Structure formats: C-alpha cells, structure tokens
Amino acid sequence: MTMTTATATALKRLPVIDSHTAGEPTRVVLEGGPDLGSGPLSERAKRFRQEHDHFRSAVVNEPRGSDVLVAALMVPPHDPDCAFGVIFFNNVGILGMCGHGTIGLMATLAHVGKIQPGPCRIDTPVGPVTAELLADGRVSVRNVPSWRKDAGVTVQVPGLGPVTGDVAWGGNWFFLVTSPTPALDLSHVETLTSQAWAVRQAVNAAGWPEVDHVEFFGPPGDAGNHSRNFVLCPGKAYDRSPCGNGTSAKVACLAADGKLAAGAVWRQESILGTVFEAGYETGADGGRIDPVITGRAWITAESTLIFDPTDPFLNGIRTAD
Ligand code: PYC
C-alpha cells in the first residue's frame, strides 16, 4: 500500500469519501492507492488484481466495508481525451465498469471541487465513458457500447426448472430474466438471492462463463415507471440501485427487440423503488447502442480508514466468490 504512514504508531491512513447512488454505496479512493504503473486501464486492473488484492480487500471488505460496498480507485487516465481514470472493485474482485459507481464518483468529484456542472470523460478498464454533472445535481452517464449477445436462452436451474433469459453486455455481463415470482420486494430478498445465484451457476455451466450478474425484472411499484428489477452482483450482494450497467444491458435488449426507440426514456425502478432514467443513442457499431443512464448520488461520509499492522483483519475479511 502507498497510503500515508503516521510516524509513531506505524498506522497507515487512507482518506475515502462515501456516497450512495439510489441506495447503492460507493467508496472513492481519490489518492493513496497502489502504484499500478502506466498503460491501458485493462492492464492496470489486472495488475491491481494480481499484485494488490490485499488493498482491494482491506478497503472494501469487513471490518472497514461490507459486501454491499463498491469502491472506486482513481488512477491517471490512459486515453488522452479523459480527465480521470477509475478502477471499480467490490467484495470479490474488479468490475469492468459500474454505472451507480460512476454517478457516485461524479458526486464525489463535485463535492471536493474537482468538477463543475458539465461533461467529462472517464477512462475505465472496459473503455472510456462520458459522465455529465447536471445543474440539478443528477449525473448522466453515457456508458460503454452495449449489446445483446444471445436472446431467449433457456437453462435448467435446479429447484426452479427451465429459466429463459437474454445474455447482454452493459459494462459487465448480465443474464436478464423476466421473472413473475416471487414479487421483487425486500421481503423476498433471501429467496431472490438464492434463485439468482442458482441461475448464474446454471448459465455459467451452460456455456456463458462470462456472466457474473443476474437481473430479474417484474412490474414496477410505481405506475410512472416501466419496470422493477433485482440485480445480483458477483459476491452475492444485491444492487440497491437499479444498476447502471444492468439498465444499460436492459436498454440494449429493448432496442434489439424494437421495444425502445433511440431517444425514448425508460424508467428503471430498483428493488428499493429508486429510479434511473435510461435511453440510448444509436452506436456507431452495428447493433450496439450507447446507453445513457441518469441518476443521483448523495455524499454520506468523509473518513479516514486506518490500517494497523497488528490488526488480524488488516487486509479485510475475504469473501468467497
Ligand atoms: O450500477 O453498474 C452498476 C453496478 C454494478 C455493480 C453494482 N452496481
């Protein structure tokens, strides 16, 4: 770790800023992270995972974090058009991109006076995105190009039987299922989590090992929205927000089905009832679309993590994937 060392005690200190986006937390490490060298962020993310996984776990896992937390490590961008670079990570590894996290990052950058309302380009391990801080405090993220890879895939899920969904990319890989039962509400989180986990394992075993997020869709709680979702992330935590990348994948599927026109608005509700507005611009590349996700984040803490070398959980309590 290259964080600050306090002289007498040998404690290491790392300032972080926490926020939540539509209920889903993000912890931003603006400085003090490991030196990952130069080059494309995809290579630096690999180096982060291979050589500095203790830093990832120390920052995001218990006892300083929790399974729900996503963290954002600020790094110098590689793409010369980008003002910032970021590598997102969670309780079990690195995320290529993170929509709610990008909204949280923009709120954090505004909070510390590093950005003003307007657009800026941010480099990520899966390509640059454009995020815009709006005058009312919301943030719009034009995500990486997204697309549906396979439609109407049926897998046999132990305990559930056949489950049909789409495989789509929205910055991470998703399996999207329109699920009639159980209802997508907080009283069913345990059942939804075990079902989504079983679906993920079946999808991985059936030939889509890349899928690490499972998304269930049902009717919205508020008639002003189009749909409600439940998203299970790698590491088994469910997304409290409507999931920026999951909503990007959803919009790609809607576009592929001819159910959402370019420029139209899709209001995606989370299991908490919070909402992302989504739409898309037609991508330059064939069937790919450029999703735009809009939501809001709130700062919840400015704090300093402390790492005591005598702490048995100096590097966090690692969560099994
Ligand atoms: O908002 O894209 C997202 C996301 C991915 C994992 C958790 N949130």
PDB file of all heavy atoms in Angstrom, residues 21 24-25 68 70 90 95 97-103 143 170-172 174 213 231-234 237-248 276 293, ligand 1:
ATOM      1  N   THR A  21     -25.753   5.943  -4.354  1.00  0.00           N
ATOM      2  CA  THR A  21     -26.465   6.291  -5.576  1.00  0.00           C
ATOM      3  C   THR A  21     -27.754   5.497  -5.572  1.00  0.00           C
ATOM      4  O   THR A  21     -27.714   4.254  -5.648  1.00  0.00           O
ATOM      5  CB  THR A  21     -25.635   5.900  -6.822  1.00  0.00           C
ATOM      6  OG1 THR A  21     -24.350   6.508  -6.746  1.00  0.00           O
ATOM      7  CG2 THR A  21     -26.340   6.336  -8.112  1.00  0.00           C
ATOM      8  N   GLU A  24     -27.385   2.535  -3.392  1.00  0.00           N
ATOM      9  CA  GLU A  24     -26.221   1.632  -3.522  1.00  0.00           C
ATOM     10  C   GLU A  24     -24.932   2.404  -3.213  1.00  0.00           C
ATOM     11  O   GLU A  24     -24.650   3.437  -3.827  1.00  0.00           O
ATOM     12  CB  GLU A  24     -26.187   1.057  -4.949  1.00  0.00           C
ATOM     13  CG  GLU A  24     -25.017   0.139  -5.240  1.00  0.00           C
ATOM     14  CD  GLU A  24     -25.170  -1.289  -4.673  1.00  0.00           C
ATOM     15  OE1 GLU A  24     -26.095  -1.527  -3.883  1.00  0.00           O
ATOM     16  OE2 GLU A  24     -24.347  -2.139  -5.037  1.00  0.00           O
ATOM     17  N   PRO A  25     -24.123   1.910  -2.252  1.00  0.00           N
ATOM     18  CA  PRO A  25     -22.967   2.687  -1.808  1.00  0.00           C
ATOM     19  C   PRO A  25     -21.749   2.619  -2.731  1.00  0.00           C
ATOM     20  O   PRO A  25     -21.519   1.613  -3.393  1.00  0.00           O
ATOM     21  CB  PRO A  25     -22.637   2.068  -0.451  1.00  0.00           C
ATOM     22  CG  PRO A  25     -23.181   0.692  -0.503  1.00  0.00           C
ATOM     23  CD  PRO A  25     -24.339   0.695  -1.458  1.00  0.00           C
ATOM     24  N   VAL A  68     -21.763  -5.142   0.449  1.00  0.00           N
ATOM     25  CA  VAL A  68     -22.602  -4.310  -0.432  1.00  0.00           C
ATOM     26  C   VAL A  68     -21.790  -3.225  -1.138  1.00  0.00           C
ATOM     27  O   VAL A  68     -22.180  -2.725  -2.194  1.00  0.00           O
ATOM     28  CB  VAL A  68     -23.713  -3.629   0.402  1.00  0.00           C
ATOM     29  CG1 VAL A  68     -24.678  -2.859  -0.479  1.00  0.00           C
ATOM     30  CG2 VAL A  68     -24.449  -4.646   1.229  1.00  0.00           C
ATOM     31  N   VAL A  70     -19.254  -0.951  -3.198  1.00  0.00           N
ATOM     32  CA  VAL A  70     -18.394  -0.898  -4.392  1.00  0.00           C
ATOM     33  C   VAL A  70     -17.431   0.255  -4.168  1.00  0.00           C
ATOM     34  O   VAL A  70     -17.838   1.324  -3.695  1.00  0.00           O
ATOM     35  CB  VAL A  70     -19.220  -0.675  -5.670  1.00  0.00           C
ATOM     36  CG1 VAL A  70     -18.320  -0.400  -6.873  1.00  0.00           C
ATOM     37  CG2 VAL A  70     -20.094  -1.899  -5.954  1.00  0.00           C
ATOM     38  N   ASN A  90     -15.140  -4.628  -5.918  1.00  0.00           N
ATOM     39  CA  ASN A  90     -16.132  -4.967  -4.876  1.00  0.00           C
ATOM     40  C   ASN A  90     -15.589  -6.042  -3.958  1.00  0.00           C
ATOM     41  O   ASN A  90     -14.374  -6.263  -3.908  1.00  0.00           O
ATOM     42  CB  ASN A  90     -17.469  -5.323  -5.520  1.00  0.00           C
ATOM     43  CG  ASN A  90     -17.463  -6.704  -6.144  1.00  0.00           C
ATOM     44  OD1 ASN A  90     -16.412  -7.348  -6.253  1.00  0.00           O
ATOM     45  ND2 ASN A  90     -18.608  -7.172  -6.562  1.00  0.00           N
ATOM     46  N   LEU A  95     -14.576  -4.735 -11.096  1.00  0.00           N
ATOM     47  CA  LEU A  95     -15.708  -4.568 -12.017  1.00  0.00           C
ATOM     48  C   LEU A  95     -15.203  -3.771 -13.221  1.00  0.00           C
ATOM     49  O   LEU A  95     -14.548  -2.737 -13.036  1.00  0.00           O
ATOM     50  CB  LEU A  95     -16.844  -3.796 -11.347  1.00  0.00           C
ATOM     51  CG  LEU A  95     -17.487  -4.441 -10.118  1.00  0.00           C
ATOM     52  CD1 LEU A  95     -18.379  -3.445  -9.384  1.00  0.00           C
ATOM     53  CD2 LEU A  95     -18.299  -5.664 -10.541  1.00  0.00           C
ATOM     54  N   MET A  97     -16.815  -1.907 -15.347  1.00  0.00           N
ATOM     55  CA  MET A  97     -17.426  -0.581 -15.257  1.00  0.00           C
ATOM     56  C   MET A  97     -18.461  -0.671 -14.154  1.00  0.00           C
ATOM     57  O   MET A  97     -18.805  -1.756 -13.687  1.00  0.00           O
ATOM     58  CB  MET A  97     -18.108  -0.221 -16.583  1.00  0.00           C
ATOM     59  CG  MET A  97     -17.847   1.195 -17.114  1.00  0.00           C
ATOM     60  SD  MET A  97     -18.195   2.565 -15.969  1.00  0.00           S
ATOM     61  CE  MET A  97     -19.930   2.869 -16.266  1.00  0.00           C
ATOM     62  N   CYS A  98     -18.948   0.461 -13.718  1.00  0.00           N
ATOM     63  CA  CYS A  98     -20.006   0.463 -12.701  1.00  0.00           C
ATOM     64  C   CYS A  98     -20.789   1.765 -12.866  1.00  0.00           C
ATOM     65  O   CYS A  98     -20.238   2.856 -12.674  1.00  0.00           O
ATOM     66  CB  CYS A  98     -19.391   0.365 -11.308  1.00  0.00           C
ATOM     67  SG  CYS A  98     -20.657   0.334 -10.033  1.00  0.00           S
ATOM     68  N   GLY A  99     -22.061   1.616 -13.238  1.00  0.00           N
ATOM     69  CA  GLY A  99     -22.885   2.797 -13.517  1.00  0.00           C
ATOM     70  C   GLY A  99     -23.199   3.592 -12.267  1.00  0.00           C
ATOM     71  O   GLY A  99     -22.986   4.812 -12.219  1.00  0.00           O
ATOM     72  N   HIS A 100     -23.695   2.898 -11.209  1.00  0.00           N
ATOM     73  CA  HIS A 100     -24.024   3.658  -9.996  1.00  0.00           C
ATOM     74  C   HIS A 100     -22.735   4.242  -9.424  1.00  0.00           C
ATOM     75  O   HIS A 100     -22.736   5.345  -8.875  1.00  0.00           O
ATOM     76  CB  HIS A 100     -24.737   2.778  -8.963  1.00  0.00           C
ATOM     77  CG  HIS A 100     -23.813   2.168  -7.961  1.00  0.00           C
ATOM     78  ND1 HIS A 100     -23.241   0.923  -8.109  1.00  0.00           N
ATOM     79  CD2 HIS A 100     -23.298   2.675  -6.812  1.00  0.00           C
ATOM     80  CE1 HIS A 100     -22.425   0.683  -7.091  1.00  0.00           C
ATOM     81  NE2 HIS A 100     -22.455   1.726  -6.281  1.00  0.00           N
ATOM     82  N   GLY A 101     -21.624   3.494  -9.569  1.00  0.00           N
ATOM     83  CA  GLY A 101     -20.347   3.970  -9.045  1.00  0.00           C
ATOM     84  C   GLY A 101     -19.856   5.214  -9.768  1.00  0.00           C
ATOM     85  O   GLY A 101     -19.254   6.108  -9.162  1.00  0.00           O
ATOM     86  N   THR A 102     -20.115   5.286 -11.069  1.00  0.00           N
ATOM     87  CA  THR A 102     -19.697   6.473 -11.830  1.00  0.00           C
ATOM     88  C   THR A 102     -20.512   7.693 -11.386  1.00  0.00           C
ATOM     89  O   THR A 102     -19.982   8.812 -11.281  1.00  0.00           O
ATOM     90  CB  THR A 102     -19.862   6.220 -13.346  1.00  0.00           C
ATOM     91  OG1 THR A 102     -19.125   5.040 -13.683  1.00  0.00           O
ATOM     92  CG2 THR A 102     -19.351   7.387 -14.165  1.00  0.00           C
ATOM     93  N   ILE A 103     -21.787   7.463 -11.094  1.00  0.00           N
ATOM     94  CA  ILE A 103     -22.620   8.570 -10.590  1.00  0.00           C
ATOM     95  C   ILE A 103     -22.101   9.010  -9.215  1.00  0.00           C
ATOM     96  O   ILE A 103     -21.963  10.214  -8.929  1.00  0.00           O
ATOM     97  CB  ILE A 103     -24.110   8.145 -10.557  1.00  0.00           C
ATOM     98  CG1 ILE A 103     -24.594   7.893 -11.989  1.00  0.00           C
ATOM     99  CG2 ILE A 103     -24.971   9.207  -9.866  1.00  0.00           C
ATOM    100  CD1 ILE A 103     -25.977   7.251 -12.091  1.00  0.00           C
ATOM    101  N   ASN A 143     -22.639   5.298 -21.179  1.00  0.00           N
ATOM    102  CA  ASN A 143     -21.853   4.104 -20.841  1.00  0.00           C
ATOM    103  C   ASN A 143     -21.114   3.580 -22.070  1.00  0.00           C
ATOM    104  O   ASN A 143     -21.279   4.084 -23.187  1.00  0.00           O
ATOM    105  CB  ASN A 143     -22.817   3.035 -20.280  1.00  0.00           C
ATOM    106  CG  ASN A 143     -22.113   2.006 -19.413  1.00  0.00           C
ATOM    107  OD1 ASN A 143     -20.890   1.982 -19.317  1.00  0.00           O
ATOM    108  ND2 ASN A 143     -22.890   1.144 -18.785  1.00  0.00           N
ATOM    109  N   GLY A 170     -23.410  -4.734 -20.686  1.00  0.00           N
ATOM    110  CA  GLY A 170     -23.713  -3.320 -20.414  1.00  0.00           C
ATOM    111  C   GLY A 170     -22.588  -2.699 -19.591  1.00  0.00           C
ATOM    112  O   GLY A 170     -22.841  -1.844 -18.747  1.00  0.00           O
ATOM    113  N   GLY A 171     -21.358  -3.201 -19.815  1.00  0.00           N
ATOM    114  CA  GLY A 171     -20.219  -2.778 -18.985  1.00  0.00           C
ATOM    115  C   GLY A 171     -19.772  -3.917 -18.081  1.00  0.00           C
ATOM    116  O   GLY A 171     -18.643  -3.948 -17.590  1.00  0.00           O
ATOM    117  N   ASN A 172     -20.664  -4.848 -17.820  1.00  0.00           N
ATOM    118  CA  ASN A 172     -20.415  -6.179 -17.251  1.00  0.00           C
ATOM    119  C   ASN A 172     -21.374  -7.109 -18.009  1.00  0.00           C
ATOM    120  O   ASN A 172     -22.262  -6.644 -18.717  1.00  0.00           O
ATOM    121  CB  ASN A 172     -20.766  -6.254 -15.748  1.00  0.00           C
ATOM    122  CG  ASN A 172     -20.066  -5.212 -14.909  1.00  0.00           C
ATOM    123  OD1 ASN A 172     -20.691  -4.362 -14.299  1.00  0.00           O
ATOM    124  ND2 ASN A 172     -18.759  -5.288 -14.854  1.00  0.00           N
ATOM    125  N   PHE A 174     -24.468  -9.712 -18.169  1.00  0.00           N
ATOM    126  CA  PHE A 174     -25.725  -9.938 -17.437  1.00  0.00           C
ATOM    127  C   PHE A 174     -26.515 -11.071 -18.063  1.00  0.00           C
ATOM    128  O   PHE A 174     -26.460 -11.289 -19.279  1.00  0.00           O
ATOM    129  CB  PHE A 174     -26.603  -8.670 -17.489  1.00  0.00           C
ATOM    130  CG  PHE A 174     -26.049  -7.546 -16.661  1.00  0.00           C
ATOM    131  CD1 PHE A 174     -25.048  -6.727 -17.156  1.00  0.00           C
ATOM    132  CD2 PHE A 174     -26.504  -7.325 -15.371  1.00  0.00           C
ATOM    133  CE1 PHE A 174     -24.512  -5.709 -16.384  1.00  0.00           C
ATOM    134  CE2 PHE A 174     -25.970  -6.305 -14.600  1.00  0.00           C
ATOM    135  CZ  PHE A 174     -24.984  -5.495 -15.110  1.00  0.00           C
ATOM    136  N   HIS A 213     -23.483 -11.224 -13.449  1.00  0.00           N
ATOM    137  CA  HIS A 213     -24.602 -10.510 -12.833  1.00  0.00           C
ATOM    138  C   HIS A 213     -25.899 -11.137 -13.355  1.00  0.00           C
ATOM    139  O   HIS A 213     -26.011 -11.415 -14.562  1.00  0.00           O
ATOM    140  CB  HIS A 213     -24.635  -9.024 -13.230  1.00  0.00           C
ATOM    141  CG  HIS A 213     -23.536  -8.193 -12.642  1.00  0.00           C
ATOM    142  ND1 HIS A 213     -22.221  -8.313 -13.012  1.00  0.00           N
ATOM    143  CD2 HIS A 213     -23.581  -7.198 -11.726  1.00  0.00           C
ATOM    144  CE1 HIS A 213     -21.491  -7.433 -12.337  1.00  0.00           C
ATOM    145  NE2 HIS A 213     -22.291  -6.744 -11.543  1.00  0.00           N
ATOM    146  N   VAL A 231     -31.097  -7.104  -8.955  1.00  0.00           N
ATOM    147  CA  VAL A 231     -29.822  -7.431  -9.620  1.00  0.00           C
ATOM    148  C   VAL A 231     -28.886  -8.063  -8.595  1.00  0.00           C
ATOM    149  O   VAL A 231     -28.594  -7.457  -7.559  1.00  0.00           O
ATOM    150  CB  VAL A 231     -29.161  -6.169 -10.210  1.00  0.00           C
ATOM    151  CG1 VAL A 231     -27.880  -6.538 -10.954  1.00  0.00           C
ATOM    152  CG2 VAL A 231     -30.128  -5.434 -11.132  1.00  0.00           C
ATOM    153  N   LEU A 232     -28.437  -9.274  -8.903  1.00  0.00           N
ATOM    154  CA  LEU A 232     -27.457  -9.922  -8.020  1.00  0.00           C
ATOM    155  C   LEU A 232     -26.063  -9.742  -8.618  1.00  0.00           C
ATOM    156  O   LEU A 232     -25.806 -10.100  -9.777  1.00  0.00           O
ATOM    157  CB  LEU A 232     -27.760 -11.410  -7.850  1.00  0.00           C
ATOM    158  CG  LEU A 232     -26.962 -12.030  -6.705  1.00  0.00           C
ATOM    159  CD1 LEU A 232     -27.407 -11.467  -5.343  1.00  0.00           C
ATOM    160  CD2 LEU A 232     -27.059 -13.539  -6.704  1.00  0.00           C
ATOM    161  N   CYS A 233     -25.186  -9.150  -7.810  1.00  0.00           N
ATOM    162  CA  CYS A 233     -23.826  -8.835  -8.263  1.00  0.00           C
ATOM    163  C   CYS A 233     -22.905 -10.010  -7.947  1.00  0.00           C
ATOM    164  O   CYS A 233     -23.211 -10.836  -7.095  1.00  0.00           O
ATOM    165  CB  CYS A 233     -23.324  -7.593  -7.527  1.00  0.00           C
ATOM    166  SG  CYS A 233     -24.379  -6.157  -7.803  1.00  0.00           S
ATOM    167  N   PRO A 234     -21.711 -10.037  -8.595  1.00  0.00           N
ATOM    168  CA  PRO A 234     -20.738 -11.054  -8.199  1.00  0.00           C
ATOM    169  C   PRO A 234     -20.406 -10.810  -6.729  1.00  0.00           C
ATOM    170  O   PRO A 234     -20.264  -9.671  -6.322  1.00  0.00           O
ATOM    171  CB  PRO A 234     -19.522 -10.759  -9.086  1.00  0.00           C
ATOM    172  CG  PRO A 234     -19.770  -9.443  -9.735  1.00  0.00           C
ATOM    173  CD  PRO A 234     -21.224  -9.130  -9.636  1.00  0.00           C
ATOM    174  N   ALA A 237     -24.022  -9.908  -3.298  1.00  0.00           N
ATOM    175  CA  ALA A 237     -24.788  -8.771  -2.761  1.00  0.00           C
ATOM    176  C   ALA A 237     -25.757  -8.317  -3.845  1.00  0.00           C
ATOM    177  O   ALA A 237     -25.420  -8.352  -5.036  1.00  0.00           O
ATOM    178  CB  ALA A 237     -23.852  -7.639  -2.377  1.00  0.00           C
ATOM    179  N   TYR A 238     -26.944  -7.883  -3.453  1.00  0.00           N
ATOM    180  CA  TYR A 238     -27.878  -7.370  -4.466  1.00  0.00           C
ATOM    181  C   TYR A 238     -27.724  -5.861  -4.559  1.00  0.00           C
ATOM    182  O   TYR A 238     -27.382  -5.183  -3.589  1.00  0.00           O
ATOM    183  CB  TYR A 238     -29.335  -7.776  -4.151  1.00  0.00           C
ATOM    184  CG  TYR A 238     -29.947  -7.070  -2.968  1.00  0.00           C
ATOM    185  CD1 TYR A 238     -30.660  -5.881  -3.118  1.00  0.00           C
ATOM    186  CD2 TYR A 238     -29.825  -7.583  -1.684  1.00  0.00           C
ATOM    187  CE1 TYR A 238     -31.211  -5.226  -2.023  1.00  0.00           C
ATOM    188  CE2 TYR A 238     -30.375  -6.941  -0.598  1.00  0.00           C
ATOM    189  CZ  TYR A 238     -31.069  -5.761  -0.768  1.00  0.00           C
ATOM    190  OH  TYR A 238     -31.608  -5.109   0.306  1.00  0.00           O
ATOM    191  N   ASP A 239     -27.925  -5.365  -5.751  1.00  0.00           N
ATOM    192  CA  ASP A 239     -27.769  -3.927  -6.002  1.00  0.00           C
ATOM    193  C   ASP A 239     -28.981  -3.192  -5.440  1.00  0.00           C
ATOM    194  O   ASP A 239     -30.119  -3.498  -5.793  1.00  0.00           O
ATOM    195  CB  ASP A 239     -27.634  -3.699  -7.511  1.00  0.00           C
ATOM    196  CG  ASP A 239     -27.044  -2.337  -7.832  1.00  0.00           C
ATOM    197  OD1 ASP A 239     -27.296  -1.382  -7.066  1.00  0.00           O
ATOM    198  OD2 ASP A 239     -26.352  -2.221  -8.851  1.00  0.00           O
ATOM    199  N   ARG A 240     -28.720  -2.233  -4.569  1.00  0.00           N
ATOM    200  CA  ARG A 240     -29.819  -1.416  -4.013  1.00  0.00           C
ATOM    201  C   ARG A 240     -30.332  -0.418  -5.045  1.00  0.00           C
ATOM    202  O   ARG A 240     -31.462   0.084  -4.941  1.00  0.00           O
ATOM    203  CB  ARG A 240     -29.349  -0.656  -2.771  1.00  0.00           C
ATOM    204  CG  ARG A 240     -29.399  -1.440  -1.476  1.00  0.00           C
ATOM    205  CD  ARG A 240     -28.448  -2.604  -1.419  1.00  0.00           C
ATOM    206  NE  ARG A 240     -28.432  -3.209  -0.089  1.00  0.00           N
ATOM    207  CZ  ARG A 240     -27.995  -4.422   0.187  1.00  0.00           C
ATOM    208  NH1 ARG A 240     -27.558  -5.207  -0.788  1.00  0.00           N
ATOM    209  NH2 ARG A 240     -27.997  -4.874   1.414  1.00  0.00           N
ATOM    210  N   SER A 241     -29.512  -0.082  -6.006  1.00  0.00           N
ATOM    211  CA  SER A 241     -29.931   0.834  -7.081  1.00  0.00           C
ATOM    212  C   SER A 241     -30.481  -0.003  -8.241  1.00  0.00           C
ATOM    213  O   SER A 241     -30.382  -1.228  -8.218  1.00  0.00           O
ATOM    214  CB  SER A 241     -28.734   1.669  -7.551  1.00  0.00           C
ATOM    215  OG  SER A 241     -27.955   0.952  -8.502  1.00  0.00           O
ATOM    216  N   PRO A 242     -31.001   0.647  -9.290  1.00  0.00           N
ATOM    217  CA  PRO A 242     -31.454  -0.129 -10.451  1.00  0.00           C
ATOM    218  C   PRO A 242     -30.299  -0.685 -11.282  1.00  0.00           C
ATOM    219  O   PRO A 242     -30.529  -1.319 -12.298  1.00  0.00           O
ATOM    220  CB  PRO A 242     -32.266   0.887 -11.266  1.00  0.00           C
ATOM    221  CG  PRO A 242     -32.529   2.037 -10.343  1.00  0.00           C
ATOM    222  CD  PRO A 242     -31.374   2.085  -9.384  1.00  0.00           C
ATOM    223  N   CYS A 243     -29.056  -0.420 -10.871  1.00  0.00           N
ATOM    224  CA  CYS A 243     -27.835  -0.931 -11.526  1.00  0.00           C
ATOM    225  C   CYS A 243     -27.635  -0.240 -12.881  1.00  0.00           C
ATOM    226  O   CYS A 243     -28.362  -0.522 -13.858  1.00  0.00           O
ATOM    227  CB  CYS A 243     -27.875  -2.454 -11.709  1.00  0.00           C
ATOM    228  SG  CYS A 243     -26.263  -3.110 -12.211  1.00  0.00           S
ATOM    229  N   GLY A 244     -26.635   0.603 -12.923  1.00  0.00           N
ATOM    230  CA  GLY A 244     -26.374   1.367 -14.160  1.00  0.00           C
ATOM    231  C   GLY A 244     -26.004   0.456 -15.314  1.00  0.00           C
ATOM    232  O   GLY A 244     -26.511   0.616 -16.437  1.00  0.00           O
ATOM    233  N   ASN A 245     -25.134  -0.513 -15.046  1.00  0.00           N
ATOM    234  CA  ASN A 245     -24.745  -1.421 -16.128  1.00  0.00           C
ATOM    235  C   ASN A 245     -25.885  -2.371 -16.471  1.00  0.00           C
ATOM    236  O   ASN A 245     -26.099  -2.706 -17.642  1.00  0.00           O
ATOM    237  CB  ASN A 245     -23.520  -2.240 -15.708  1.00  0.00           C
ATOM    238  CG  ASN A 245     -22.243  -1.422 -15.705  1.00  0.00           C
ATOM    239  OD1 ASN A 245     -22.253  -0.245 -16.051  1.00  0.00           O
ATOM    240  ND2 ASN A 245     -21.156  -2.040 -15.306  1.00  0.00           N
ATOM    241  N   GLY A 246     -26.626  -2.809 -15.446  1.00  0.00           N
ATOM    242  CA  GLY A 246     -27.760  -3.698 -15.700  1.00  0.00           C
ATOM    243  C   GLY A 246     -28.836  -2.994 -16.517  1.00  0.00           C
ATOM    244  O   GLY A 246     -29.476  -3.601 -17.384  1.00  0.00           O
ATOM    245  N   THR A 247     -29.021  -1.716 -16.239  1.00  0.00           N
ATOM    246  CA  THR A 247     -30.015  -0.952 -17.009  1.00  0.00           C
ATOM    247  C   THR A 247     -29.504  -0.721 -18.432  1.00  0.00           C
ATOM    248  O   THR A 247     -30.286  -0.719 -19.397  1.00  0.00           O
ATOM    249  CB  THR A 247     -30.345   0.362 -16.275  1.00  0.00           C
ATOM    250  OG1 THR A 247     -30.844   0.029 -14.969  1.00  0.00           O
ATOM    251  CG2 THR A 247     -31.401   1.180 -17.007  1.00  0.00           C
ATOM    252  N   SER A 248     -28.188  -0.576 -18.580  1.00  0.00           N
ATOM    253  CA  SER A 248     -27.610  -0.458 -19.940  1.00  0.00           C
ATOM    254  C   SER A 248     -27.870  -1.735 -20.733  1.00  0.00           C
ATOM    255  O   SER A 248     -28.243  -1.695 -21.914  1.00  0.00           O
ATOM    256  CB  SER A 248     -26.091  -0.216 -19.846  1.00  0.00           C
ATOM    257  OG  SER A 248     -25.821   0.982 -19.156  1.00  0.00           O
ATOM    258  N   PHE A 276     -33.562   4.936 -12.065  1.00  0.00           N
ATOM    259  CA  PHE A 276     -32.651   5.505 -13.067  1.00  0.00           C
ATOM    260  C   PHE A 276     -33.468   5.747 -14.329  1.00  0.00           C
ATOM    261  O   PHE A 276     -34.266   4.878 -14.726  1.00  0.00           O
ATOM    262  CB  PHE A 276     -31.517   4.547 -13.425  1.00  0.00           C
ATOM    263  CG  PHE A 276     -30.420   4.417 -12.402  1.00  0.00           C
ATOM    264  CD1 PHE A 276     -29.532   3.348 -12.469  1.00  0.00           C
ATOM    265  CD2 PHE A 276     -30.243   5.353 -11.385  1.00  0.00           C
ATOM    266  CE1 PHE A 276     -28.500   3.204 -11.536  1.00  0.00           C
ATOM    267  CE2 PHE A 276     -29.218   5.219 -10.453  1.00  0.00           C
ATOM    268  CZ  PHE A 276     -28.349   4.146 -10.529  1.00  0.00           C
ATOM    269  N   ILE A 293     -27.526   6.705 -18.831  1.00  0.00           N
ATOM    270  CA  ILE A 293     -28.215   6.414 -17.565  1.00  0.00           C
ATOM    271  C   ILE A 293     -28.134   7.660 -16.692  1.00  0.00           C
ATOM    272  O   ILE A 293     -27.047   8.223 -16.517  1.00  0.00           O
ATOM    273  CB  ILE A 293     -27.501   5.253 -16.822  1.00  0.00           C
ATOM    274  CG1 ILE A 293     -27.294   4.036 -17.734  1.00  0.00           C
ATOM    275  CG2 ILE A 293     -28.241   4.890 -15.539  1.00  0.00           C
ATOM    276  CD1 ILE A 293     -28.543   3.379 -18.225  1.00  0.00           C
TER     277      ILE A 293
HETATM  278  O1  PYC B   1     -24.571   0.288 -11.193  1.00  0.00           O
HETATM  279  O2  PYC B   1     -23.461  -0.691 -12.807  1.00  0.00           O
HETATM  280  C1  PYC B   1     -23.833  -0.626 -11.647  1.00  0.00           C
HETATM  281  C2  PYC B   1     -23.383  -1.677 -10.701  1.00  0.00           C
HETATM  282  C3  PYC B   1     -22.650  -2.792 -10.975  1.00  0.00           C
HETATM  283  C4  PYC B   1     -22.482  -3.461  -9.762  1.00  0.00           C
HETATM  284  C5  PYC B   1     -23.114  -2.746  -8.786  1.00  0.00           C
HETATM  285  N1  PYC B   1     -23.666  -1.656  -9.379  1.00  0.00           N
END
